[in-house]
Amino acid sequence: MRIIAGRLKGRRLARVRGPMRPTADRVREAVFNILGPVILGARVLDLFAGAGALGIEALSRGAGDAVFVENHRISLQILRRNLILCGLDQVSSVLPLSVARALLKLAGQGRYFDLVFLDPPYGRGMAAATLMQLATTGIVAPTGRVIVEHSRQEDLEETYRSLVYMDQRRYGGTLISFYASRSNESSDLPEEQGDN
C-alpha cells in the first residue's frame, strides 16, 4: 500500500493484516483524480480509517488537516505509526471511538468537514446508517462531499436528509458513491483525470 501522489508520493504505508479490506491503490487513485483540486486545504474526516490510507493520501495532496476515526486496537497502532512515519501527526488527530460516538463528539465540538471518506465493513448496512448520522449531525460543510466505498450488493438511497447523491463509479466488485451537501448538489464531479 503506497501513497499515490503529492508530497509523500511513493511512501509505503503499513497495512492491517487479516480480514481488513483496505481501499485498493487503483481505486484510491481514481477517487482522488475525480476530486482533483477540491482536496486543497480541505478539512478531512476519515471514518473506519483502518491504516489511514485515504486520509493520508488527502494530506499528501494538500488537504489542510484530517481526523481519523478507528477503534480496532491493531488498526489504531498501525494508523498512528503511519501518521508519525509520514510526519503528519501535527496536522491530524485520531479518535479511538466507534464511528457513531465519534460523530456525536465532533458535532458537539462544532466541527465540520469538507471531505468525508466512509469505508465501512461490507454487508452490514453501516454505510447507510453512517450517511444518515452524518446528515443529522450537520458536520458535513455546506460545500462538503462524502465519498462512500461499498459493495455492489449494498444499495444506498438518493438522499439522506441534507446529503444528496451526485455520482457513482464502479471498480470491479467495489462501488464508490459520491454525496454532497444539499447546497452543493449542483457541483458536478469531473471525469477521472490521469491514466486509469
Side-chain angles (χ1 to χ4, degrees), residues 27-126:
V27 175
R28 200 163 13 100
E29 182 174 19
V31 166
F32 281 95
N33 285 340
I34 291 166
L35 291 173
V38 169
I39 300 157
L40 297 176
R43 293 157 296 193
V44 172
L45 178 59
D46 189 350
L47 301 175
F48 305 96
L54 288 167
I56 291 172
E57 184 77 39
L59 290 169
S60 177
R61 292 174 183 242
D65 56 60
V67 174
F68 297 83
V69 177
E70 180 56 66
N71 69 346
H72 181 265
R73 185 179 57 83
I74 295 171
S75 297
L76 268 172
Q77 292 172 353
I78 292 173
L79 169 59
R80 287 182 169 130
R81 184 185 326 150
N82 281 336
L83 291 171
I84 291 168
L85 289 174
C86 291
L88 299 174
D89 46 319
Q90 298 301 310
V91 291
S92 62
S93 58
V94 177
L95 292 181
L97 302 170
S98 70
V99 165
R101 287 183 59 207
L103 292 179
L104 291 174
K105 179 174 183 169
L106 291 166
Q109 294 171 346
R111 300 285 302 272
Y112 58 96
F113 298 89
D114 305 301
L115 286 176
V116 179
F117 294 104
L118 172 54
D119 183 13
Y122 284 4
R124 300 185 193 175
M126 296 172 88

Side-chain angles (χ1 to χ4, degrees), residues 4-21:
I4 306 297
R7 64 187 179 91
L8 298 170
K9 180 178 179 178
R11 181 76 58 95
R12 294 216 168 265
L13 299 176
R15 58 174 289 185
V16 182
R17 302 293 177 192
M20 298 289 186
R21 176 201 38 77

